[in-house]
Amino acid sequence: MRIALALCTLPLSLAVAPTLAQSTTLASTRPVAPAPAKLATYPLFVSEQKTTHLVFPSPVTYVDLGSSGLIAAKATGSENIVRVKAAGSGFSETNMTVLTASGKLYSFVVGYQRNPRQLGLDLGAPSAARPGCPYSPLRLGPENHAPRVSLPGHLRRSG
């Protein structure tokens, strides 16, 4: 009886062994696809009364507006600056996508704000890479004949 039982289990173990070996081999040689990286989405508020300018680190090759509530175009004389404005007051939240010559895709969720606080964003500034700070304010210096905004002491950046 013991011999018969041993002979019955032997063919089963031989039949399973090649399958286990095959799946182990396939798993180790099959390339594993990396998880897709999430594309950062930047918040943006625009108005029909004021124009917001976005400065990219390389020339802009494509702009897609999520709805007719937005108007956008490259700034005259510049390949890396896009100006954005609301087509009218109070549009529903939409999106905007910008592709640059470097191949980087920028995604924005755009909402209406009658008086947006941020009118210029520099997406190529060093602080744009910091977590929690997706972009930097656009700062105009004396060469552009526009005064810098003086911040109160408690809002100034130290260092």
Side-chain angles (χ1 to χ4, degrees):
M1 186 72 144
R2 283 187 180 164
I3 295 174
L5 183 60
L7 290 176
C8 288
T9 57
L10 181 63
L12 179 62
S13 64
L14 289 177
V16 172
T19 306
L20 288 174
Q22 181 181 6
S23 66
T24 304
T25 304
L26 286 176
S28 64
T29 59
R30 192 177 293 161
V32 177
K38 291 185 179 180
L39 185 63
T41 300
Y42 303 102
L44 183 66
F45 292 97
V46 296
S47 163
E48 78 281 4
Q49 299 295 321
K50 298 177 181 178
T51 302
T52 300
H53 288 83
L54 306 174
V55 181
F56 296 90
S58 59
V60 172
T61 58
Y62 171 81
V63 177
D64 178 66
L65 304 175
S67 78
S68 59
L70 296 177
I71 301 169
K74 283 186 191 176
T76 306
S78 180
E79 291 295 313
N80 69 320
I81 300 175
V82 173
R83 59 183 187 221
V84 187
K85 199 170 200 174
S89 63
F91 64 85
S92 297
E93 184 177 87
T94 187
N95 72 313
M96 182 174 89
T97 305
V98 177
L99 178 65
T100 62
S102 66
K104 185 157 183 186
L105 192 68
Y106 295 85
S107 178
F108 301 88
V109 172
V110 188
Y112 178 83
Q113 197 171 64
R114 185 181 160 122
N115 287 308
R117 292 180 186 212
Q118 196 68 54
L119 296 175
L121 304 175
D122 186 346
L123 291 135
S127 63
R130 289 195 320 240
C133 183
Y135 46 76
S136 300
L138 177 62
R139 299 190 190 278
L140 299 175
E143 66 278 358
N144 295 326
H145 307 290
R148 285 185 164 232
V149 176
S150 179
L151 296 174
H154 71 283
L155 294 177
R156 287 190 192 133
R157 196 178 197 179
S158 61

